[in-house]
Amino acid sequence: MTKAPATPTSGRRRHDREIVALAVPAFGALVAEPLFLMVDSAIVGHLGTRQLAGLGVSAALLSTAVSIFVFLAYATTAAVARRLGAGDLASAIRQGMDGIWLALLLGGLVVAAVLPTAPWIVDVFGASGTAAPYATTYLRISTLGIPAMLVVLAATGVLRGLQDTRTPLYVAIGGFTANAILNAVLVYGVGLGIAGSAWGTVIAQMAMAVAYLVVVVRGARRHRASLRPDAAGIRASARAGVPLLIRTLSLRAVLVIATAVAARLGDVDIAAHQIVLSLWTLTAFALDAIAIAGQAIIGRFLGAGDAKGARETCRRMVEWGLAAGVVLGALIVLARPLFIPLFTSDSSVRDTLLPALLVVAVSQPIAGVVFILDGVLMGAGDGRYLALAMLVTLAVFAPVALLIPTLGGGLTALWWAMDLMMTVRLITLWLRARSGRWLVTGATR
């Protein structure tokens, strides 16, 4: 009996199943990561205001470090997925090991730079005289966990490239649980205070890194892939990561400018802005999970030489992003009476918050497509274009945002500027996707 030919509907269902299988665990892992600092904040908050203020400064610095080095995950995902698609699993794992060695090298450099300069860094970031000692203590201890944290990023990229997002979810859940228990025991049981919170996080991060390394090393031995550092491979990983680093720094600059502008608008506006930004970040996690699936699937198709499959997957994922954006936008509008009271009881903050929130809701379909196309081009290894596109976006956004206080605009105007930023990203990414220039096949780009 001959097999029935594939239909467009069956093809879409196949893509849908694969997207869901990768995106759902990826979302769980993404949400678990920021919970580390939330647990630290909840436990340290009971020690006192000065300790919590110190943690706030250090947590902001550590969060920035994570966002800067996230290229370790993105670049590794694309490179490993390509080699997997080409059928060379040993080379895929070897490429992943190069990313892990790069993570260790960068982590060591960060530790060497931060340990002696921690008091100065804390001072630059504006910690008060009473909070600075606690911030310095937490930062110095937590810095020891940065190599492990970067290994986790790189190893996560390896497993995503191998189409495995479940293991990162399990490791993230285990790390979160260990962090919560260790924090409670070391802070209160042993009486180490804020230092105990930092040590608990470092130990949990190291345990996560070990868990990842066990999985990757087993795979390397199974497929006879070398575990030794390779200078050429590490340099290649670094070169692939530089454009993504530029992209990430440009995006961080957008967020920093937005926060700085909101601060100039007044206390009410900056308070409302932080709430809106928190919600915007939460929706970004949901959309980024689909984008992560796109990175892995697109890289595999291109590695296998299947440009048509990559284009079809891109089209289907854009449909997913658009639909997810519509749903998230509707949820923001419908659920606002429920979650706004959770953040503030100040009527002036609520009045300022509401129209800005509606602007965010309207922009979610745009954000959905932007995140997907971003992930597709990352999976294709098109980092140079992503860097250029984000620099163009920053060049458009910055003057518009900085003029808002001068022209008398408020928080709503600022978030319309954020929508402009997302629209520029949409245009630049859509033009690239339509051009087909990202469809470069083969085990390497």
Side-chain angles (χ1 to χ4, degrees):
M1 181 181 293
T2 59
K3 187 176 180 180
T7 64
T9 301
S10 65
R12 284 196 299 271
R13 287 176 179 171
R14 184 179 69 254
H15 289 315
D16 291 347
R17 286 194 297 270
E18 190 168 21
I19 292 167
V20 170
L22 291 172
V24 172
F27 176 69
L30 287 170
V31 172
E33 290 171 9
L35 290 178
F36 268 74
L37 291 175
M38 287 182 64
V39 168
D40 288 7
S41 299
I43 292 176
V44 171
H46 291 285
L47 294 174
T49 302
R50 292 174 297 176
Q51 289 90 335
L52 185 58
L55 172 66
V57 172
S58 297
L61 290 166
L62 293 168
S63 296
T64 300
V66 172
S67 66
I68 288 174
F69 291 110
V70 75
F71 73 85
L72 288 166
Y74 292 158
T76 305
T77 297
V80 171
R82 273 186 175 271
R83 286 162 175 77
L84 176 68
D88 190 351
L89 195 52
S91 178
I93 296 174
R94 172 66 262 177
Q95 179 70 35
M97 286 303 306
D98 291 336
I100 290 173
W101 281 113
L102 176 62
L104 284 170
L105 176 61
L106 292 174
L109 292 174
V110 171
V111 171
V114 173
L115 282 181
T117 61
W120 175 80
I121 295 173
V122 166
D123 183 62
V124 167
F125 272 74
S128 67
T130 55
Y134 298 105
T136 301
T137 296
Y138 190 91
L139 181 60
R140 274 183 167 155
I141 296 172
S142 296
T143 297
L144 299 176
I146 285 181
M149 180 182 69
L150 299 190
V151 167
V152 167
L153 286 174
T156 299
V158 175
L159 296 182
R160 287 174 181 171
L162 295 174
Q163 320 293 294
D164 177 8
T165 56
R166 290 183 178 273
T167 299
L169 172 61
Y170 299 148
V171 174
I173 292 173
F176 168 73
T177 304
N179 181 59
I181 294 172
L182 287 167
N183 266 258
V185 170
L186 295 177
V187 172
Y188 298 117
V190 182
L192 294 180
I194 195 170
S197 177
W199 279 117
T201 301
V202 168
I203 294 169
Q205 288 170 338
M206 288 182 173
M208 291 173 67
V210 169
Y212 273 117
L213 289 175
V214 167
V215 173
V216 174
V217 168
R218 283 178 178 173
R221 288 176 175 171
R222 187 181 307 120
H223 298 283
R224 299 180 180 179
S226 174
L227 296 173
R228 295 179 180 179
D230 176 65
I234 294 172
R235 285 196 299 269
S237 294
R239 283 195 300 270
V242 168
L244 295 180
L245 175 61
I246 294 171
R247 166 205 167 271
T248 300
L249 290 174
S250 301
L251 181 56
R252 293 295 300 182
V254 165
L255 299 178
V256 168
I257 290 171
T259 300
V261 170
R264 289 176 62 189
L265 295 174
D267 291 345
V268 170
D269 290 88
I270 186 62
H273 174 74
Q274 288 303 116
I275 296 172
V276 178
L277 186 61
S278 297
L279 185 64
W280 187 80
T281 303
L282 181 61
T283 61
F285 281 135
L287 298 173
D288 203 28
I290 307 175
I292 286 169
Q295 292 174 35
I297 298 170
I298 293 294
R300 192 190 72 228
F301 270 119
L302 292 178
D306 188 356
K308 180 182 177 182
R311 188 181 288 278
E312 289 176 351
T313 300
C314 174
R315 186 180 301 113
R316 185 57 178 162
M317 297 200 74
V318 166
E319 293 171 358
W320 267 78
L322 184 61
V326 171
V327 171
L328 289 171
L331 285 175
I332 291 172
V333 173
L334 295 174
R336 69 188 188 281
L338 298 176
F339 62 75
I340 289 179
L342 297 176
F343 289 99
T344 180
S345 57
D346 189 322
S347 59
S348 58
V349 174
R350 290 187 184 187
D351 292 341
T352 304
L353 167 66
L354 185 56
L357 207 56
L358 294 176
V359 173
V360 172
V362 169
S363 70
Q364 286 305 297
I366 295 175
V369 178
V370 166
F371 273 81
I372 296 308
L373 292 179
D374 204 42
V376 166
L377 296 183
M378 281 186 192
D382 203 7
R384 289 185 180 180
Y385 184 84
L386 288 172
L388 176 62
M390 200 60 228
L391 287 171
V392 170
T393 301
L394 176 61
V396 173
F397 170 78
V400 174
L402 293 172
L403 280 173
I404 287 174
T406 304
L407 298 177
L411 185 66
T412 303
L414 175 59
W415 276 93
W416 278 119
M418 290 288 285
D419 277 7
L420 171 65
M421 178 270 295
M422 294 301 290
T423 302
V424 174
R425 291 187 72 191
L426 174 65
I427 293 169
T428 55
L429 297 177
W430 183 261
L431 289 174
R432 186 65 167 184
R434 288 203 62 181
S435 73
R437 294 178 182 175
W438 56 279
L439 290 165
V440 179
T441 58
T444 58
R445 183 178 172 85

